[in-house]
Amino acid sequence: MNLVFEKYISDYSADLTRLCISLCGNVSDADDLFQDTWYKAIKNYGKYNFDMPFDKWLYSICVNTYKDSLRLFYNKRKMIFKTEEDKTEFLNSIPDSCPDNYDDYLQLHTAVNALPKKQKIVIVLYYFKDYSLNEISEILKIPIGTVKSRLNLAKSTLKRRLNNEEI
Amino acid sequence: MRKFEINDEKLDEMLSNYCKKSSPYTFRVKEKVKRERIKKRFQIKYSTACYILIFAFFIGLCVNSIPNFFTSYNDFFIIANAQGAFEENKILTAYQPVKVDSLSCYDYDINDKSVEVDINFGVCCAGKHISKVTYTSNYSYFIINYVSVENFDISSREKMEFNHNGVVCNRYSVDNDSQSVLIDNEISDNYPVSLVCFLDADYNFEAQRLLKKYKNGEDRFDTLNDLYDSIFRNVYVDMEITFDDGSVDNHRIELAYDEKDSSYKTFKPVVTATLK
């Protein structure tokens, strides 16, 4: 493997880890997705179009891998914290979280992971890096109107779930 | 038990925090993944030979079974069609001062037993300020998802109404992101653009219902063409746009086959905007 790719790995692994965990909701699936994403990125590097920033290209591989393989691999295991320590560690990693709002974030976590995969991907990309709707449309290769409608639908579903309203 | 209700701002804040959480874990790329780069050099000849063999086999298969292929409507065909003809199918039809833009149908996923057909279109009105948009459709599942306003002081437009089949819809939002998608350069150069509407029709429900009937052998459709036809053909939206100066424009937006090639293989729904 050449040095350029080593640099990519060192530069983008942390962010990709966060994206994988946000998408999969659990660490072991996220690690699988992380490895698969890098595997595909390395394998298809020859097709990489340098006009697109590398991170967006990498994230598009990640979400497509997640989306396409969802039925086979990822998300079979629902988010389960093996120990209380895991749970606390996870909650502490969220900025602004404190014991007072732990329940809210746990509820949000469950609600996000219960979203249909397409809506979940849009929500995660929108808040993960503050991508604009246009950028998400580019990454997912779907029309901007669809990005908007999925985002809108996901947010209204989450709001109702968090407020314990019927869906 | 939480005492307060989660509103939009709070949800935004929570989602932002949730998605920006620092990872307590560090994943490392495994060595076998890294080795793929080296391995690939040696695999290229082997894989090229495989591709050629598969391609030759496929061509042979197609030549022998073209007639059957297009009359046996199986899942494979629908998926292949979805990935090709339907995805990212954007057709622009200019009509000034109203421009209908960005139509797309895509995402059939039969394995997942879901069908998603969104049809998005924007209406760009240049040169005039709009005070009211009323539209009716013969399609009952037509919904507004977003209406975007561009270069437009929303605060002075409190009386603006979006009316769907007689029901006033208040769900509109200011969103500058759509500028690049919805405004055609030619129009924006020649006219001061005052408003861009972005309507999103959701055909998912109806498409699923029809496809289910089709797959269950309820013989309402003889061919896939008929199925698509029943989803898309003869669907229209009538829009009445009232401007600040009191003038009114009426437009009908229809979905129709591209008559040049009505084969479902290259099925292309088009939008037409015509004065009634």
Side-chain angles (χ1 to χ4, degrees):
Chain A
M1 195 171 62
N2 61 33
L3 289 173
V4 176
F5 228 94
E6 285 285 8
K7 181 155 179 13
Y8 282 142
I9 289 176
S10 77
D11 287 352
Y12 297 108
S13 280
D15 277 349
L16 185 65
T17 300
R18 288 198 298 117
L19 179 63
C20 293
I21 289 177
S22 294
L23 287 172
C24 294
N26 69 73
V27 178
S28 55
D29 285 343
D31 193 15
D32 287 348
L33 179 60
F34 178 87
Q35 303 300 337
D36 286 350
T37 303
W38 278 119
Y39 176 83
K40 287 186 181 176
I42 292 168
K43 197 174 165 189
N44 295 304
Y45 188 58
K47 296 175 192 166
Y48 170 50
N49 175 2
F50 287 88
D51 291 341
M52 192 181 199
F54 183 81
D55 57 341
K56 281 188 192 163
W57 183 67
L58 186 69
Y59 301 151
S60 74
I61 293 175
C62 179
V63 291
N64 284 326
T65 308
Y66 170 74
K67 194 171 67 179
D68 295 343
S69 308
L70 198 61
R71 285 184 297 276
L72 298 175
F73 304 111
Y74 312 117
N75 219 25
K76 274 191 174 175
R77 289 160 286 205
K78 297 293 174 196
M79 180 67 205
I80 297 166
F81 298 105
K82 284 178 187 162
T83 63
E84 275 301 308
E85 276 179 6
D86 280 356
K87 192 157 97 177
T88 313
E89 195 175 22
F90 173 81
L91 288 165
N92 283 335
S93 69
I94 299 172
D96 192 41
S97 68
C98 60
D100 284 349
N101 61 19
Y102 275 177
D103 284 347
D104 290 344
Y105 277 109
L106 278 177
Q107 208 181 353
L108 177 70
H109 180 70
T110 311
V112 167
N113 281 292
L115 285 174
K117 59 184 176 181
K118 288 171 183 169
Q119 291 174 30
K120 185 174 161 186
I121 287 169
V122 171
I123 277 278
V124 168
L125 284 177
Y126 188 73
Y127 289 98
F128 162 68
K129 279 272 184 182
D130 291 330
Y131 282 134
S132 70
L133 298 173
N134 258 339
E135 287 173 308
I136 297 175
S137 159
E138 275 171 28
I139 291 173
L140 299 179
K141 295 184 175 59
I142 57 174
I144 193 167
T146 306
V147 177
K148 281 182 181 182
S149 64
R150 284 182 191 172
L151 186 67
N152 193 36
L153 201 59
K155 280 166 79 171
S156 72
T157 307
L158 288 175
K159 203 164 79 174
R160 276 179 288 169
R161 285 205 171 120
L162 290 177
N163 289 322
N164 297 317
E165 292 171 19
E166 279 198 22
I167 294 171
Chain B
M1 186 74 184
R2 197 189 323 115
K3 298 268 169 53
F4 60 91
E5 193 175 80
I6 302 278
N7 56 22
D8 288 337
E9 290 76 30
K10 182 68 185 168
L11 180 65
D12 266 345
E13 185 193 322
M14 285 178 71
L15 278 168
S16 186
N17 286 331
Y18 172 76
C19 291
K20 287 188 182 64
K21 62 183 176 289
S22 57
S23 170
Y25 310 98
T26 311
F27 296 153
R28 304 218 172 278
V29 183
K30 290 175 183 164
E31 280 308 310
K32 65 178 179 186
V33 171
K34 290 184 179 177
R35 278 200 298 274
E36 171 60 25
R37 189 84 185 147
I38 301 161
K39 210 170 62 179
K40 196 183 164 198
R41 290 180 197 160
F42 299 99
Q43 279 185 337
I44 188 86
K45 285 179 185 170
Y46 172 73
S47 59
T48 306
C50 285
Y51 287 140
I52 290 167
L53 275 174
I54 291 167
F55 184 69
F57 175 75
F58 189 70
I59 291 291
L61 199 69
C62 288
V63 166
N64 284 323
S65 59
I66 280 175
N68 291 334
F69 184 72
F70 288 117
T71 49
S72 60
Y73 307 113
N74 52 31
D75 290 355
F76 169 74
F77 175 77
I78 297 173
I79 292 166
N81 196 11
Q83 296 300 321
F86 279 86
E87 198 166 0
E88 294 296 305
N89 187 0
K90 293 180 180 173
I91 298 158
L92 308 182
T93 308
Y95 183 85
Q96 292 179 347
V98 172
K99 178 176 177 294
V100 178
D101 187 4
S102 179
L103 171 74
S104 59
C105 313
Y106 65 98
D107 258 5
Y108 280 72
D109 191 348
I110 304 302
N111 288 334
D112 206 18
K113 298 200 185 333
S114 72
V115 182
E116 184 174 335
V117 187
D118 283 358
I119 298 190
N120 305 289
F121 55 90
V123 178
C124 169
C125 295
K128 288 181 177 180
H129 278 170
I130 288 177
S131 58
K132 184 177 174 182
V133 178
T134 304
Y135 65 95
T136 53
S137 170
N138 67 336
Y139 193 82
S140 56
Y141 302 104
F142 186 88
I143 57 165
I144 283 188
N145 264 314
Y146 275 90
V147 179
S148 303
V149 180
E150 185 64 44
N151 295 342
F152 194 68
D153 181 7
I154 196 79
S155 59
S156 66
R157 299 283 147 193
E158 285 173 1
K159 289 180 183 170
M160 190 166 62
E161 287 179 37
F162 294 95
N163 190 319
H164 172 224
N165 286 357
V167 180
V168 174
C169 175
N170 292 318
R171 285 169 58 195
Y172 58 87
S173 64
V174 180
D175 184 0
N176 291 325
D177 282 335
S178 48
Q179 182 177 16
S180 59
V181 174
L182 293 175
I183 298 176
D184 182 82
N185 283 337
E186 195 182 334
I187 290 182
S188 57
D189 285 344
N190 294 331
Y191 298 90
V193 175
S194 66
L195 174 66
V196 175
C197 298
F198 202 147
L199 309 180
D200 185 358
D202 186 352
Y203 285 75
N204 191 15
F205 183 87
E206 180 70 349
Q208 275 198 48
R209 187 179 70 81
L210 294 174
L211 192 71
K212 195 175 169 190
K213 286 186 81 159
Y214 179 73
K215 283 173 71 73
N216 286 345
E218 295 176 33
D219 198 15
R220 183 174 157 188
F221 310 108
D222 292 333
T223 64
L224 270 182
N225 246 353
D226 293 342
L227 170 66
Y228 296 143
D229 220 16
S230 67
I231 296 174
F232 297 112
R233 197 184 278 272
N234 299 325
V235 172
Y236 65 81
V237 184
D238 282 340
M239 303 186 70
E240 185 183 274
I241 301 174
T242 310
F243 296 96
D244 275 359
D245 61 8
S247 60
V248 177
D249 267 3
N250 286 295
H251 303 275
R252 173 166 288 190
I253 299 166
E254 293 178 277
L255 306 180
Y257 277 116
D258 183 355
E259 297 297 343
K260 286 179 188 168
D261 187 353
S262 58
S263 160
Y264 55 80
K265 197 172 63 166
T266 53
F267 177 81
K268 283 183 180 178
V270 295
V271 168
T272 57
T274 50
L275 276 175
K276 275 197 290 187

